[in-house]
Amino acid sequence: MDNGESSTNDSSRPWESYNTVFTNAKAGMEGVDKEKVQRIVYEMSKGSKYFQNEERKEALMKQKIEHMRERSTKLSSTDLSNYQKVVDRRILELEATRDLSRIWLHVDMDAFYAAVETLSNPSLEGKPMAVGGLSMISTANYEARKFGVRAAMPGFIARKLCPELIFVPVDFTKYTHYSELTRKVFRNYDPHFIAGSLDEAYLDITVVCRERGLSGGEIAEELRSSVYSETGLTCSAGVAANRLLAKVCSDINKPNGQFILQNDRSTVMTFISSLPIRKWIKIGGIGKVTEHILKDALGIKTCEDMVQKGSLLYALFSQSSADFFLSVGLGLGGTDSPEARSRKSISSERTFSATGDEKLLYSKLAEIAEMLSDDMKKEGLKARTLTLKLKTATFEIKSRAVSLQRYTCSSEDILKHATKLLKAELPVSVRLIGLRMSQFSDEIRNSDPSQETITKFIIQKDSSRQNLDDNDYDGSKNCISNDESLGLSFDTHETSYDQLKDVEYEEQSEIDADKVIPNQEFKKEERPRVSEGDALLIKHKECRPDTSHSTNDAPNTEAVTVFPQMEPLLWIDGYKCNLCGIELPPSFVEERQEHSDFHLAQRLQNEESCSSSSTTPTSKRRILGKEKANSKLKKQKQDHKHIPIHTFFTKTNQNSFSYLKLIFQKRNQEEMKMVLNLISPKLNLSPFNTLGEPKPIPSMSDILTSSRTRNLDLKIQTLGPFFRVTGKNIDTGGEVGRAEGVVRPWFGKGLVLHLDTIKLTKETMKMEKSVLGVGLYVGAVAIRHGYDCGCRTAQLLAIYDSDLYHSKLVRFYRRIGFEEVKEVSGSSIGDMADMLVWGGVGTRMDASIHHLLLKWSKVFLKSKI
DNA sequence: GCGGATCAC
DNA sequence: TATGGTGATCCGC
């Protein structure tokens, strides 16, 4: 859709604009011919789906940058000087938190996985080697890095860069074992060290240094040699006043080296502001995108700039982001000793070769649910939010989440809900499926057990959202952990807001306070949670909603006993009701609402007729509680024992056809024929032939189902009267054709389906040679859409381009069932209407929609048998 | 709460 | 031929 953006490349050196991360500064990359690496990476990637997605992401990033730039230019100098006041005060506050009394050490193992592999297979020594496979490598040793090979690079590109590269498969048990050995050493220096990952850690060595009268550098030397003697592995270390600086330092003399930054303010400031851009990029939290935004939109290239342009940062970013940038600029961050953080989610995901085959996808999903469930059981975790992650064949990431009523870790529960989530996305061609569970049951564990129950109650109760917010335990927790994750040890929020208000009052500034108010303020007041919780509990008991026919909750036992047959209403393929099979286009929002009301009414009828005694008043109230939006229904329910189904179908516009079909399916044919004539005598949309039999025209589902057997994924979007049908190759995700147009009244013909374009792309069509096939399918969806909208006629203009092309076009349309109506040449007054509508000359061709559907029905109904 | 993005390792 | 898996966070809605 958004291509054509890459044409800005310098044509002689297109690779220069392909921003891979592979040429960033990384230890061991100093002597690398970066241009060559970049060129090869570009050439290996160019044209691939992955590459296209990178281009798409890049375009988005540019947009973001442009937006940021625009916003920055709109800032007035008064704005900026006001924000500068905030910055000035903030700097003072941040300075006050500067703690130079601690000594932090960051250890980072050198090419950890590769080094471990070399240890267990010494013949690898001195040879370029990478841990991983042809699709992805995890780590490269230093010999390989000389060729530009590095972590996160696909193996096949690495091999191109270094043909003799040796690949070694990953073996996490090995790495975990060696990691544990290193950690034993770390514990001797700081029993509470923070493990960043298997191969790195932060140690607060203040105490060791003091007790043993050694400098940070001496301790680092000792630790590193101790690690070496225990494991045979080398590591690098950085020593500084805080974790952020220590981490930067450990990178400086990599591999097998160390760097010590004195705990002295001016040394720190000189160091940080002299840091070349390539170094501070790697400061945690600033990645590729943020870097570009800072640099390209705001001209911030160094840490010094961050302080100097602080007013810009505070004007354009959230408070917490701006605070983070500013503290980086001041060389602050991470002097506290945070408590060990507990995990907040657990997940499992797998990549495979892209497929749109539903059976296959469901079985992958089951495998992943199983893995996830196993992991959760191993960790003793139960959770209530399930997130499905998909990576499409075109590398786009999608996620879909549901929050369940109960905490669970069972693979059955997970799979059941995951399947629903996946089902709603089909058809889709994906290359990765992932499942994640979050919101653990013990996340809200509290010292007071009575409070825990109340909290659980609040959390479980969906409709108490407002109250939940007011008692948002997680919210306050997030605030704290944010600061931890940023390595900041100060509380930023309220003070700054007060300051800003001061500024506003003092200066009569025009700053929009909303922009600067932190998203999450600390709630410092005591929360009256027990009494509120009690009130909630009562409220909850009173009107706990029955949500069992929404798509995303766990079964409610009570509801199940009342309505054992109750299933959630879903629109299969986005079109077809799973309960009765009626089809309603997605754009028929109101109609769909009424349709679901219909099913509800049915249930109510069943309830009344089959077991009025077994139905408790409570359960009735529940149903109505959920459906209270429909006051019509409520009234019916209260006034009558039985609800006549036709009450729900009072509309008399052309859309009523859908209802009629429904009624036809549910009720006596004769009766319905009468209703049909009553409601819609003009339109010949009867689904019956003269014999009173349903006409065999393909339904939207028939068309979609049939198209899928041809590897086509068809979608229709509507915007008011406009519509667009797109057809994609299920496997590649590439677009193969589209139709666009509008449903409009036409002189004396009622509504017509006006087809603006039917476009077919040949290149991406690896499926059938037959253009006619794709055209037919795309066209059929459009035509069926017209049918659903009550159109009788479809019309199009075979545009006159050249003789040859035009006659081909006319022949094509004739083959699929259109007939020439007239030549629109602009030579007669009568052509004016057509000219105005079509904006060109050509052959106007019409077709009877019903006729087309009948004519095509064999094609689409074939697959049904 | 949800979904998209970003980030780190 | 071919571009990972796990976990966290933030922002906007």
Side-chain angles (χ1 to χ4, degrees), chain A residues 24-284:
Chain A
N24 278 357
K26 172 102 187 170
M29 300 283 288
E30 289 76 16
V32 177
D33 180 350
K34 284 177 196 150
E35 178 164 322
K36 186 186 161 200
V37 172
Q38 187 123 352
R39 199 183 67 242
I40 289 178
V41 172
Y42 171 80
E43 276 163 8
M44 299 290 293
S45 302
K46 160 176 76 176
S48 66
K49 287 271 172 289
Y50 175 83
F51 182 86
Q52 286 169 17
N53 189 249
E54 289 300 300
E55 286 184 317
R56 186 185 61 90
K57 275 160 46 184
E58 185 127 339
L60 280 175
M61 189 171 87
K62 283 193 175 137
Q63 224 173 299
K64 222 166 159 177
I65 290 169
E66 201 39 53
H67 181 235
M68 191 63 80
R69 204 202 313 259
E70 261 171 45
R71 283 179 61 207
S72 76
T73 55
K74 279 183 188 147
L75 291 168
S76 70
S77 52
T78 5
D79 287 340
L80 285 176
S81 71
N82 283 323
Y83 279 110
Q84 189 57 50
K85 289 193 173 67
V86 176
V87 173
D88 292 344
R89 242 186 265 190
R90 211 76 195 87
I91 289 177
L92 288 181
E93 284 178 359
L94 291 175
E95 270 304 334
T97 71
R98 190 186 292 276
D99 181 356
L100 294 169
S101 71
R102 312 230 48 100
I103 306 172
W104 280 94
L105 183 152
H106 180 247
V107 218
D108 196 340
M109 303 302 296
D110 301 326
F112 185 53
Y113 298 174
V116 170
E117 294 298 343
T118 308
L119 218 50
S120 59
N121 180 3
S123 75
L124 293 169
E125 193 136 359
K127 298 174 189 163
M129 180 263 276
V131 177
L134 275 185
S135 57
M136 181 59 60
I137 65 186
S138 298
T139 313
N141 67 8
Y142 281 83
E143 284 76 17
R145 289 186 197 186
K146 286 177 194 151
F147 294 87
V149 174
R150 52 157 293 177
M153 178 182 276
F156 67 92
I157 292 180
R159 197 168 56 179
K160 188 86 171 180
L161 289 169
C162 171
E164 62 269 51
L165 184 68
I166 298 166
F167 288 90
V168 177
V170 286
D171 178 358
F172 275 99
T173 49
K174 244 187 256 176
Y175 315 142
T176 311
H177 172 250
Y178 279 93
S179 179
E180 195 41 52
L181 294 183
T182 66
R183 288 175 187 188
K184 270 187 194 152
V185 177
F186 300 161
R187 273 186 210 107
N188 296 334
Y189 296 87
D190 176 6
H192 309 297
F193 75 91
I194 303 168
S197 61
L198 285 182
D199 77 328
E200 67 179 277
Y202 295 94
L203 286 72
D204 182 348
I205 53 171
T206 318
V207 177
V208 194
C209 288
R210 191 172 56 226
E211 280 177 353
R212 301 181 48 194
L214 295 174
S215 72
E218 286 164 328
I219 291 288
E221 290 281 4
E222 189 188 298
L223 179 141
R224 287 174 46 234
S225 88
S226 179
V227 166
Y228 184 77
S229 62
E230 291 298 315
T231 64
L233 300 168
T234 64
C235 62
S236 301
V239 177
N242 62 50
R243 294 192 293 276
L244 185 137
L245 292 171
K247 169 117 172 110
V248 174
C249 291
S250 72
D251 237 24
I252 292 178
N253 284 321
K254 220 170 197 323
N256 200 12
Q258 60 185 49
F259 184 90
I260 285 83
L261 184 67
Q262 296 306 317
N263 284 17
D264 159 73
R265 190 181 176 278
S266 72
T267 309
V268 169
M269 290 310 285
T270 310
F271 173 79
I272 199 93
S273 52
S274 71
L275 272 187
I277 186 161
R278 283 291 161 88
K279 287 291 176 189
W280 68 258
I281 278 174
K282 300 210 298 160
I283 285 171

Side-chain angles (χ1 to χ4, degrees), chain A residues 690-709:
Chain A
T690 45
L691 299 172
E693 293 161 352
K695 291 175 184 172
I697 59 164
S699 69
M700 191 63 94
S701 283
D702 294 332
I703 300 170
L704 296 178
T705 307
S706 168
S707 72
R708 237 167 286 141
T709 68

Side-chain angles (χ1 to χ4, degrees), chain A residues 533-597:
Chain A
D534 285 339
L536 264 173
L537 191 129
I538 294 158
K539 204 173 147 196
H540 180 70
K541 279 190 171 164
E542 267 179 358
C543 64
R544 190 156 151 221
D546 177 0
T547 54
S548 58
H549 70 295
S550 96
T551 57
N552 55 356
D553 20 86
N556 173 321
T557 17
E558 276 181 278
V560 168
T561 51
V562 176
F563 298 122
Q565 81 286 21
M566 204 189 250
E567 266 186 83
L569 190 155
L570 294 171
W571 296 100
I572 302 166
D573 296 324
Y575 248 94
K576 190 168 169 182
C577 172
N578 65 331
L579 297 178
C580 68
I582 189 187
E583 299 190 15
L584 276 175
S587 54
F588 288 25
V589 178
E590 284 179 29
E591 288 77 3
R592 284 190 168 197
Q593 178 59 51
E594 293 202 13
H595 182 73
S596 82
D597 292 342

Side-chain angles (χ1 to χ4, degrees), chain A residues 438-556:
Chain A
S438 49
Q439 305 264 38
F440 296 126
S441 55
D442 55 354
E443 201 172 273
I444 41 177
R445 185 176 291 147
N446 211 308
S447 50
D448 180 357
S450 71
Q451 231 175 43
E452 183 188 5
T453 352
I454 293 166
T455 312
K456 270 188 176 162
F457 236 123
I458 297 167
I459 298 240
Q460 280 169 2
K461 188 175 174 301
D462 285 353
S463 58
S464 64
R465 177 78 189 119
Q466 188 56 51
N467 299 329
L468 181 58
D469 280 347
D470 291 341
N471 291 278
D472 194 349
Y473 296 73
D474 284 335
S476 49
K477 238 168 108 178
N478 283 343
C479 286
I480 293 162
S481 53
N482 284 350
D483 281 352
E484 281 173 6
S485 73
L486 298 176
L488 305 180
S489 59
F490 40 82
D491 170 350
T492 59
H493 301 72
E494 281 201 340
T495 38
S496 312
Y497 179 41
D498 289 340
Q499 273 167 14
L500 186 78
K501 279 199 294 200
D502 289 350
V503 173
E504 280 187 286
Y505 288 124
E506 288 164 17
E507 311 287 334
Q508 300 289 311
S509 114
E510 292 179 16
I511 299 172
D512 179 2
D514 286 337
K515 278 191 216 151
V516 194
I517 296 174
N519 290 330
Q520 296 170 314
E521 277 180 72
F522 276 115
K523 294 237 190 289
K524 293 214 166 142
E525 329 73 74
E526 280 299 313
R527 292 174 288 223
R529 64 176 69 128
V530 174
S531 57
E532 210 168 297
D534 285 339
L536 264 173
L537 191 129
I538 294 158
K539 204 173 147 196
H540 180 70
K541 279 190 171 164
E542 267 179 358
C543 64
R544 190 156 151 221
D546 177 0
T547 54
S548 58
H549 70 295
S550 96
T551 57
N552 55 356
D553 20 86
N556 173 321

Side-chain angles (χ1 to χ4, degrees), chain A residues 298-472:
Chain A
L298 309 178
I300 294 174
K301 298 186 195 65
T302 67
C303 290
E304 231 180 344
D305 295 343
M306 295 231 229
V307 180
Q308 289 188 349
K309 303 206 178 185
S311 55
L312 265 183
L313 294 172
Y314 277 84
L316 298 172
F317 290 92
S318 71
Q319 167 116 31
S320 60
S321 302
D323 278 340
F324 168 66
F325 293 137
L326 191 60
S327 53
V328 167
L330 294 170
L332 296 167
T335 52
D336 56 337
S337 300
E339 292 177 21
R341 265 190 281 165
S342 58
R343 71 151 81 229
K344 293 177 177 54
S345 72
I346 185 166
S347 67
S348 189
E349 65 186 54
R350 284 296 174 275
T351 296
F352 40 85
S353 58
T355 178
D357 180 45
E358 301 187 2
K359 284 247 161 50
L360 214 54
L361 291 178
Y362 284 129
S363 84
K364 301 267 183 208
L365 191 68
E367 281 174 38
I368 291 161
E370 197 66 44
M371 289 191 287
L372 179 57
S373 169
D374 286 351
D375 289 351
M376 291 181 78
K377 285 170 188 162
K378 267 180 225 155
E379 303 257 341
L381 293 168
K382 290 190 170 198
R384 59 179 282 270
T385 298
L386 172 68
T387 307
L388 169 74
K389 174 178 169 185
L390 300 176
K391 193 191 281 179
T392 66
T394 52
F395 286 87
E396 280 157 299
I397 309 278
K398 284 183 180 177
S399 69
R400 297 289 179 263
V402 267
S403 292
L404 314 178
Q405 300 291 102
R406 301 184 281 124
Y407 294 98
T408 186
C409 65
S410 95
S411 61
E412 291 81 15
D413 282 352
I414 294 174
L415 183 58
K416 185 175 71 185
H417 293 98
T419 305
K420 280 189 199 172
L421 291 175
L422 175 59
K423 200 172 188 175
E425 301 306 310
L426 295 173
V428 64
S429 180
V430 299
R431 69 193 325 280
L432 172 147
I433 294 182
L435 290 174
R436 171 181 305 269
M437 290 289 271
S438 49
Q439 305 264 38
F440 296 126
S441 55
D442 55 354
E443 201 172 273
I444 41 177
R445 185 176 291 147
N446 211 308
S447 50
D448 180 357
S450 71
Q451 231 175 43
E452 183 188 5
T453 352
I454 293 166
T455 312
K456 270 188 176 162
F457 236 123
I458 297 167
I459 298 240
Q460 280 169 2
K461 188 175 174 301
D462 285 353
S463 58
S464 64
R465 177 78 189 119
Q466 188 56 51
N467 299 329
L468 181 58
D469 280 347
D470 291 341
N471 291 278
D472 194 349

